[in-house]
Amino acid sequence: MALGEPFDLADKRVFVAGHRGMVGSAIARRLVAEGSTVLTAGRDALDLKDQIAVRAWFADQRPDAVFLAAAKVGGILANDTYPADFLYDNLMIEANVIEAANRTDVAKLMFLGSSCIYPKFAAQPIVEDSLLTGPLEPTNEWYAIAKIAGIKLAQAYRRQHGRDYISVMPTNLYGPGDNFDLESSHVMPALIRKAHEAKLSGAPSIVMWGTGTPRREFLHVDDLADACVHLMKTYSDFGHVNVGSGTDVTIAELTEMVCKAIGYTGDIVKDTGKPDGTPRKLMSADKLRGLGWSPSIALEDGIAGAYTWFLENQGQFRAVA
Ligand code: GFB
């Protein structure tokens, strides 16, 4: 296959690295409609940080294509608390998988990054060319550096080895399969859980970290999976592609939306001892729209669906002390 040609996923052996995570599981669900044979490897069976094991797995399984959705991820506090884990784990995973893919002639690979790769004070909406034009947000610079390295790996293997390896940068994601642990989660699942538990217990208020003024862009993970499949089939170029909804809300607005969806009517109390993080990170959706994709799940509907998923699966989450 020459660089730049459409890539058909039907009847292909497609490895979804990170299939137990929120993103990987959504991609694996979405691939069913493509007629792909989805290959997976749980953490117990394959440690993606282990170079020898990853090379052996690729040599044995011979995937045709790879979605690289495996990563050490977490919310603002987890990123700030475990910098070594976020840097080391993510560098190892992406380097091992991309090198093994090249060694075994994987025809197409998609690396998934994050909107935190961009400078803290990038002009909004953030265009793809803003990468490496200014300092990063300190709470997640370790994760961001690892994700920037992943983009560069995909580009380097394209340039040096002629590989059709591409990158996408998702915005803040939410949906089924999210992490609802209050210490390590992102804001959306944390608020869903807090509002739900406060409603049940009749608590007079819930705590919102920070000032509530930061703005964030949210995309449902099923929309992300659909965009990833679309781009895997149709996009083949050096530059990465932002994947977002194109609109953002303040954290205070989001908190109110979540409380409304859950039916919690108590107060919202700010904990300004917790970090705000980057003030705004709305990504430009122009490139993605130009490539023929736009989202279909409205934020209100997505929150309602995420809450339903939480209600059906909350038994697996540790009780709040
Ligand atoms: O989602 P979040 O943890 O990550 O926080 P980031 C977003 C905003 O929500 C911050 C506020 O301003 C938080 O202070 N917030 C309010 C809360 N209440 C809560 C709460 O109960 N829990 C949490 N977690 N936040 C992450 C990066 O940044 O975004 C990662 O650290 C990654 O590297 C990810 O890029 C997508 O959007 O600030």
Side-chain angles (χ1 to χ4, degrees):
M1 189 190 81
L3 281 182
E5 284 183 12
F7 186 82
D8 187 2
L9 287 162
D11 301 321
K12 295 273 170 50
R13 292 169 63 76
V14 182
F15 177 36
V16 180
H19 76 288
R20 289 198 180 133
M22 176 173 71
V23 171
S25 59
I27 292 173
R29 282 196 301 276
R30 175 61 185 78
L31 282 172
V32 172
E34 297 298 315
S36 311
T37 299
V38 177
L39 308 179
T40 59
R43 201 169 299 181
D44 39 341
L46 175 62
D47 178 0
L48 293 173
K49 300 193 296 301
D50 180 339
Q51 183 191 58
I52 292 170
V54 173
R55 285 187 186 175
W57 188 91
F58 271 78
D60 183 47
Q61 294 293 321
R62 311 296 302 196
D64 300 303
V66 174
F67 286 90
L68 182 34
K72 167 88 177 166
V73 298
I76 192 165
L77 193 63
N79 269 265
D80 210 17
T81 311
Y82 305 107
D85 292 356
F86 276 83
L87 184 54
Y88 176 81
D89 288 10
N90 287 308
L91 285 173
M92 292 301 285
I93 291 168
E94 64 208 28
N96 288 343
V97 170
I98 293 172
E99 166 67 12
N102 180 53
R103 282 172 176 252
T104 51
D105 289 328
V106 168
K108 185 124 194 186
L109 178 144
M110 173 181 282
F111 171 71
L112 283 88
S114 163
S115 59
C116 70
I117 59 162
Y118 292 113
K120 174 169 181 152
F121 297 112
Q124 312 278 320
I126 309 171
V127 293
E128 284 82 354
D129 285 347
S130 302
L131 184 63
L132 295 173
T133 57
L136 299 164
E137 153 61 30
T139 54
N140 60 32
E141 65 178 315
W142 321 95
Y143 181 69
I145 290 285
K147 288 296 185 181
I148 292 168
I151 298 172
K152 292 297 169 190
L153 278 169
Q155 291 176 343
Y157 281 75
R158 172 177 284 270
R159 178 170 292 179
Q160 186 179 330
H161 299 292
R163 293 296 183 197
D164 193 0
Y165 296 174
I166 61 175
S167 297
V168 296
M169 296 305 116
T171 187
N172 287 40
L173 304 168
Y174 70 97
D178 213 340
N179 167 23
F180 285 82
D181 176 86
L182 293 180
E183 290 298 308
S184 60
S185 75
H186 291 100
V187 60
M188 177 81 84
L191 291 174
I192 289 174
R193 181 170 179 174
K194 287 182 198 178
H196 171 73
E197 291 178 352
K199 184 173 104 170
L200 287 193
S201 68
S205 61
I206 60 164
V207 174
M208 174 186 73
W209 293 359
T211 61
T213 57
R215 302 186 70 87
R216 293 289 184 274
E217 174 187 11
F218 293 95
L219 184 73
H220 193 281
V221 71
D222 288 341
D223 267 340
L224 171 80
D226 193 58
C228 287
V229 167
H230 174 75
L231 292 171
M232 191 74 154
K233 288 160 66 177
T234 59
Y235 184 75
S236 172
D237 213 337
F238 194 75
H240 63 278
V241 183
N242 291 342
V243 181
S245 61
T247 54
D248 61 359
V249 293
T250 67
I251 295 301
E253 287 165 348
L254 177 75
T255 308
E256 282 171 17
M257 289 174 82
V258 169
C259 288
K260 189 172 168 207
I262 288 168
Y264 177 67
T265 53
D267 293 334
I268 296 161
V269 175
K270 294 174 190 169
D271 176 1
T272 51
K274 291 284 195 307
D276 270 344
T278 200
R280 192 179 188 198
K281 47 179 173 178
L282 175 64
M283 296 195 300
S284 167
D286 289 353
K287 185 171 181 179
L288 184 60
R289 299 286 189 280
L291 293 166
W293 188 89
S294 52
S296 60
I297 303 174
L299 187 54
E300 287 83 358
D301 298 337
I303 293 173
Y307 181 42
T308 302
W309 188 90
F310 172 73
L311 290 176
E312 288 166 357
N313 293 274
Q314 59 182 317
Q316 66 185 267
F317 304 111
R318 182 171 52 82
V320 178

